Amino acid sequence: MTRTALLVTTAVALSVALAAPAVAAPPVGGDHEATRKAIEAAVGDGVPGVTVTAKDGHGTWSATAGVGNLKTGKPRSADDRYRVGSITKTFVATVLLQLEAEGRLSLDDTVEQWLPGVVRGNGHDGGRITVRQLLNHTSGIFNYTADEDFGRTYFLKDGFFEHRYDTKKPEELVALAMTHEPDFEPGASWKYSNTNYVVAGMVIEKVTGRPYGDAIRERIIKPLHLTATSVPGTRVTMPRPSSRAYAKLAETTTGPTYDVTELNPSLAYAAGEMISSSADLSRFYTALLRGRLIPREQLAEMTTTGPNGYGLGLIKTELSCGVTVWGHAGGIHGSLSEAVTTKDGRHSLALNLNGDWAGDMASVVEAEFCGKAPVRAGNREDSDTKHRVHSDVMSVPPHIG
């Protein structure tokens, strides 16, 4: 498969690190006009609709642009539930860090200790890979969504409409990854792999004796009262209120647009199946960075990043005005999302695009925290000249994220 166009399509929307200037500027508070212009620019760039919520010392502000339903013209809602893709990874990492704090596992445990024989084949060796390396993507495990047959089956038009309701077991996803050679020796490099978090979810289940989604519900969703957040498992429909989700289901950004709202998210499992809302995501990341979910020692581990800004399921982004935010981006068919907050939790932002082929989420983040409205809606390929990119998408072939 030709992947260049696919990566270009999603790269800027899921950018997580920007070059900072020599002189830093304080966060912008209260005035969200630049953010409003940025989401309107995303719609001008071809996204059906955008919903965004920001919270700072002046209160909570929400806005929408475009539509949530192309047939009826119904606008998007600030209360929309949407599929959050790889933002799921932060929830998974949080649970594992909680389990470490409780002494139920160590991040330096090998995968083989918890899942004997699961990560093995074609050079993969779970006895040499630690839980920490799963969470920071230094394991070298092949990314199962980069498998070409998987991409054709679940991300291109013909395959998607035939298989959108298939149930995939996590063991199947890992087994698919094992048919390929690892990308590198454990700890030798960094590469985003959805398989890492599929395995991480399986580790949670082995440690707790229950589905990983139960752990997320009991340890995060219920304590924080995240009423719009869920781990759907095999449920194909969306909870209300929600908008429709749209995709091209092709290797290009042109051509027909398809409604892809309904799908079985088990193909993402712990790498990206969750559903949430902008308000809930802001609450989650704020609580996490303020130390309400994990002890100080574990939060320090989570926020220890490599040169690319990736920690343990958490991404550090240095914006052009010198502001640093923490969070994650994510995508799944027809849905691109991002949620970030300052480290003190005082200023947060979460947004969603209900189309996966256009729009620049990085510009929305810049607008909110730096007060910079986008110069032009622009082609995302052209606007990516200063970004360091994590290509962590699930929304178009062959990636999940």
Side-chain angles (χ1 to χ4, degrees):
M1 290 167 59
T2 301
R3 300 180 180 179
T4 303
L6 303 174
L7 296 178
V8 166
T9 304
T10 55
V12 176
L14 300 184
S15 295
V16 295
L18 304 175
V23 179
V28 177
D31 182 4
H32 306 279
E33 185 57 29
T35 310
R36 185 185 299 278
K37 290 180 179 178
I39 66 172
E40 291 171 351
V43 173
D45 202 23
V47 175
V50 185
T51 182
V52 60
T53 293
K55 189 173 183 179
D56 58 21
H58 298 267
T60 300
W61 172 85
S62 296
T64 65
V67 300
N69 189 314
L70 289 174
K71 287 186 176 180
T72 67
K74 181 180 178 180
R76 294 213 64 178
S77 167
D79 298 320
D80 269 354
R81 278 71 166 156
Y82 47 81
R83 301 188 191 276
V84 302
S86 270
I87 290 174
T88 302
K89 291 179 171 68
T90 311
F91 286 82
V92 170
T94 299
V95 169
L96 281 168
L97 286 163
Q98 289 175 340
L99 292 171
E100 182 196 48
E102 295 163 11
R104 299 178 67 179
L105 60 72
S106 167
L107 294 187
D108 296 318
D109 289 346
T110 67
V111 172
E112 185 72 12
Q113 287 176 249
W114 292 104
L115 303 171
V118 172
V119 178
R120 186 176 297 168
N122 282 315
H124 290 93
D125 181 0
R128 300 175 56 213
I129 297 169
T130 66
V131 175
R132 187 188 308 275
Q133 289 169 337
L134 296 176
L135 300 185
N136 65 16
H137 296 294
T138 60
S139 72
I141 298 176
F142 181 83
N143 181 8
Y144 74 94
T145 58
D147 178 86
E148 293 187 2
D149 286 339
F150 189 92
R152 284 190 291 268
T153 301
Y154 294 102
F155 296 106
L156 296 181
K157 179 174 70 71
D158 293 342
F160 174 79
F161 285 115
E162 181 179 351
H163 296 283
R164 68 193 297 178
Y165 301 124
D166 289 359
T167 293
K168 302 296 290 184
K169 296 180 179 180
E171 295 82 2
E172 295 178 77
L173 304 178
V174 178
L176 176 60
M178 296 302 103
T179 65
H180 298 264
E181 294 182 356
D183 292 316
F184 48 81
E185 291 293 309
S189 186
W190 184 94
K191 189 173 183 180
Y192 196 95
S193 173
N194 290 297
T195 315
N196 284 326
Y197 275 78
V198 172
V199 176
M202 295 171 70
V203 170
I204 291 174
E205 296 189 354
K206 190 63 177 289
V207 175
T208 64
R210 303 179 63 187
Y212 91 95
D214 287 355
I216 289 178
R217 280 185 285 269
E218 293 171 6
R219 293 169 172 271
I220 301 175
I221 294 175
K222 289 182 180 179
L224 295 182
H225 306 289
L226 304 180
T227 57
T229 304
S230 61
V231 185
T234 59
R235 188 182 72 227
V236 302
T237 57
M238 290 291 296
R240 296 182 181 180
S242 60
S243 293
R244 309 304 293 179
Y246 298 97
K248 296 297 184 181
L249 297 177
E251 296 184 54
T252 66
T253 61
T254 58
T257 298
Y258 300 98
D259 187 320
V260 295
T261 308
E262 292 188 1
L263 59 86
N264 187 328
S266 65
L267 85 165
Y269 183 62
E273 73 166 285
M274 288 182 66
I275 293 169
S276 192
S277 69
S278 296
D280 271 14
L281 291 177
S282 289
R283 188 177 302 120
F284 165 62
Y285 280 104
T286 297
L288 177 62
L289 270 296
R290 285 181 171 176
R292 290 179 54 194
L293 292 173
I294 53 178
R296 182 178 301 177
E297 179 182 347
Q298 277 67 39
L299 186 58
E301 290 185 281
M302 194 177 211
T303 54
T304 298
T305 64
N308 53 24
Y310 204 99
L312 304 181
L314 193 65
I315 300 169
K316 178 183 180 181
T317 306
E318 297 178 1
L319 303 177
S320 66
C321 58
V323 174
T324 297
V325 293
W326 296 81
H328 213 289
I332 193 169
H333 304 71
S335 180
L336 295 177
S337 309
E338 187 153 4
V340 294
T341 183
T342 51
K343 198 168 187 180
D344 59 10
R346 293 182 179 179
H347 192 173
S348 62
L349 174 76
L351 68 144
N352 172 260
L353 285 58
N354 66 335
D356 60 27
W357 66 91
D360 185 351
M361 294 193 297
S363 289
V364 182
V365 175
E366 281 276 324
E368 175 61 27
F369 290 92
C370 298
K372 295 181 178 180
V375 176
R376 52 186 283 272
N379 180 291
R380 291 190 296 173
E381 180 177 7
D382 295 336
S383 65
D384 193 33
T385 56
K386 64 179 181 178
H387 289 40
R388 288 184 292 119
V389 177
H390 294 303
S391 181
D392 67 341
V393 294
M394 179 174 182
S395 50
V396 293
H399 295 278
I400 293 181

